[in-house]
Amino acid sequence: MTIYKILTYPDPFLKTVATPVTEFDEKLKEISDNMIETMYEKSGIGLAAVQIGFGKRLFVMDVTYNKELPESARNPMVIVNPEITESSEEQVNEEGCLSVPEFRAEVKRVGTISLKYQDVEGNEHTMEASGLKSICIQHEMDHLEGKLFIDYLPTLQRNMIRKKLKKRYA
Ligand code: NI
């Protein structure tokens, strides 16, 4: 297992618009497994491929993750080439991101979504998601468009975060 280095804002690669996954091979499986390990290592509930420098439309998530639970209670998902086909009312929630350490902010998202996606083997699925799961999916899908949750904030606030993180991770 490899624990990947997570790129932090303002790393320019985080602006990459990811391209669709077309090869469902062993390498993809290995990268997904390592991404899951990396996500747990960093106590995250989601991690997009762009965040580890892999520009493909893929993310991993486990919204039920809790440090206190045993490893057997983990329930990771690999979501490939996701597409939201339906969405409902809006919700506002506080979000954070492994690429923007220690900052949180309220972001407006749609509520319940219908998602079309592929698994790591290329099989097609659909699912309905609401609450935290829906927020997590929308947050990770933003990463695939080169977008971070702080892009929803006023410029002044985002610049302040950039300065602080640049200083800390330079
Ligand atoms: Ni994130």
Side-chain angles (χ1 to χ4, degrees):
M1 284 287 169
T2 306
I3 303 295
Y4 293 123
K5 181 179 179 286
I6 296 177
L7 304 176
T8 51
Y9 179 73
D11 190 299
F13 195 85
L14 291 169
K15 293 202 165 175
T16 301
V17 177
T19 56
V21 172
T22 51
E23 309 264 325
F24 294 85
D25 53 10
E26 273 308 303
K27 192 177 167 234
L28 188 76
K29 175 91 176 65
E30 194 187 318
I31 292 172
S32 320
D33 286 345
N34 288 336
M35 280 174 63
I36 290 168
E37 279 310 304
T38 305
M39 173 179 76
Y40 287 134
E41 173 78 17
K42 307 292 179 193
S43 299
I45 59 167
L47 181 67
V50 169
Q51 291 177 277
I52 55 134
F54 182 52
K56 290 287 174 188
R57 303 189 78 77
L58 160 87
F59 67 85
V60 296
M61 71 168 178
D62 183 354
V63 292
T64 59
Y65 172 71
N66 180 330
K67 258 188 242 174
E68 314 299 316
L69 292 173
E71 279 191 31
S72 58
R74 291 176 176 177
N75 186 25
M77 280 187 90
V78 181
I79 306 283
V80 183
N81 299 332
E83 203 184 307
I84 291 175
T85 53
E86 259 179 80
S87 63
S88 71
E89 81 290 350
E90 290 184 331
Q91 56 176 338
V92 177
N93 256 288
E94 204 184 60
E95 294 182 24
C97 178
L98 293 174
S99 291
V100 191
E102 288 161 53
F103 287 95
R104 299 185 71 80
E106 290 203 326
V107 181
K108 196 192 274 180
R109 302 282 188 188
V110 293
T112 306
I113 55 171
S114 298
L115 190 77
K116 227 175 84 180
Y117 68 99
Q118 285 169 284
D119 60 28
V120 76
E121 275 148 16
N123 306 306
E124 288 186 12
H125 302 270
T126 53
M127 83 169 148
E128 299 274 312
S130 57
L132 184 59
K133 198 175 196 176
S134 167
I135 293 166
C136 182
I137 290 168
Q138 292 173 68
H139 176 115
E140 300 310 326
M141 283 180 75
D142 271 356
H143 277 301
L144 308 185
E145 301 301 330
K147 203 165 171 187
L148 298 171
F149 78 101
I150 50 172
D151 290 329
Y152 296 103
L153 302 179
T155 311
L156 209 66
Q157 208 177 335
R158 193 167 52 248
N159 286 345
M160 186 203 75
I161 293 172
R162 184 195 287 128
K163 260 190 216 155
K164 285 194 176 163
L165 286 179
K166 251 188 166 167
K167 217 182 268 174
R168 205 177 301 160
Y169 293 94

